[in-house]
Amino acid sequence: MATPSLLFKQLFDQASGTYTYLLADSISKDAILIDSVFEKYSRDLSLIQELDLNLIACLETHCHADHVTAAWLFKHTLGSKILASINSGIEVLDQQLSAGDVIEFGSKHLKVIETPGHTDGCVSYLLDDESMVFTGDSLLIRGCGRTDFQQGSAAKLYRSITEGLFSLPEACLVYPGHDYSGRTASSIGEEKKLNPRIGGQANENDFVGYMDNMQLPHPKETRHSCSGELKGG
Ligand SMILES: N[C@@H](CCC(=O)N[C@@H](CS)C(=O)NCC(=O)O)C(=O)O
Ligand SMILES: [Fe+2]
């Protein structure tokens, strides 16, 4: 009998610099979609149908300020569930997630790690064999999520990254929620060493000082809060 392998696709939305991740068990065809984008619904629906996958759930890493999720559309057409943190502020969830919760798809699963700081309801999803972690906007490649709005807290994010994500195996691949310069993945070891905000010798004071002085413009697409049908992602 064939052994199930992981089917994995990293998808990109140019307008918001967002990554969407499709994961599936190659035998059972059960699939999960992480951080879908409203405008990319048709692209992702076609892919799911072409690959003959059974979409179990759309997961959100947090309530996004810069794009709207397609999770509601997938729920409507495919009957998939919508899952996000209990602290996400997203009103209509099929399951509210907390630390340690496990989301199964076929023979595989993702485990929830709470990584607040960019927002209160940020979570990361760790693959069962600890080979991949989907960090949303908690840890970005050579960066991290901003902490200047949406209940952001640089001190919380420091703890989430240093005590949570940086305790994962160095070889664990980091798949972020965004990248604004075309990079696709990193690893825990690489970010521990090279992340200019929180890697190397940076301590909490360095990090908080850096984050409190970033003065980033608000995202181009900021337009909603996380309640109701068209919002929530
Ligand atoms: N330049 C981007 C910035 C978007 C932005 O603020 N992204 C958030 C994620 S929702 C963030 O945390 N960015 C961190 C950073 O750019 O360092 C845009 O305008 O779209
Ligand atoms: Fe974000």
Side-chain angles (χ1 to χ4, degrees), residues 218-233:
H218 276 198
K220 290 192 284 276
E221 313 235 343
T222 303
R223 57 187 159 184
H224 60 276
S225 65
C226 280
S227 55
E229 182 81 8
L230 258 187
K231 307 163 188 167

Side-chain angles (χ1 to χ4, degrees), residues 29-161:
K29 305 274 190 184
D30 289 344
I32 294 287
L33 195 62
I34 302 176
D35 285 344
S36 61
V37 172
F38 183 83
E39 287 81 3
K40 297 294 178 191
Y41 165 71
S42 301
R43 175 196 67 186
D44 297 352
L45 179 65
S46 301
L47 183 60
I48 288 164
Q49 289 174 336
E50 281 163 11
L51 296 173
D52 200 21
L53 300 177
N54 165 35
L55 186 67
I56 292 181
C58 290
L59 312 187
E60 303 299 325
T61 55
H62 63 298
C63 170
H64 312 282
D66 61 339
H67 69 269
V68 176
T69 178
W72 318 97
L73 298 176
F74 285 111
K75 182 182 168 90
H76 187 70
T77 45
L78 300 178
S80 46
K81 296 194 174 347
I82 307 175
L83 279 61
S85 164
I86 188 166
N87 300 316
S88 64
I90 303 173
E91 281 176 4
V92 195
L93 292 175
D94 293 295
Q95 192 185 335
Q96 296 184 322
L97 300 171
S98 304
D101 283 352
V102 162
I103 302 128
E104 293 184 352
F105 56 106
S107 62
K108 315 222 163 274
H109 69 259
L110 291 165
K111 195 175 88 180
V112 175
I113 306 175
E114 285 180 351
T115 49
H118 171 61
T119 72
D120 265 353
C122 281
V123 291
S124 298
Y125 297 105
L126 178 65
L127 189 62
D128 42 44
D129 62 0
E130 302 197 339
S131 62
M132 295 176 164
V133 63
F134 300 90
T135 54
D137 298 353
S138 304
L139 181 62
L140 303 177
I141 301 173
R142 308 294 189 268
C144 61
R146 64 194 297 164
T147 54
D148 57 340
F149 70 123
Q150 283 191 299
Q151 328 97 38
S153 158
K156 275 190 197 168
L157 186 57
Y158 183 83
R159 283 193 294 277
S160 294
I161 297 176

Side-chain angles (χ1 to χ4, degrees), residues 135 138-145 157 161 165-166 174 183 186-203 207 210-211:
T135 54
S138 304
L139 181 62
L140 303 177
I141 301 173
R142 308 294 189 268
C144 61
L157 186 57
I161 297 176
L165 296 171
F166 281 0
V174 171
R183 296 164 297 197
S186 182
S187 70
I188 293 295
E190 230 182 85
E191 292 310 313
K192 264 166 116 167
K193 193 170 152 197
L194 299 172
N195 192 297
R197 298 183 192 172
I198 199 165
Q201 302 303 316
N203 62 31
F207 180 73
Y210 185 98
M211 295 309 291

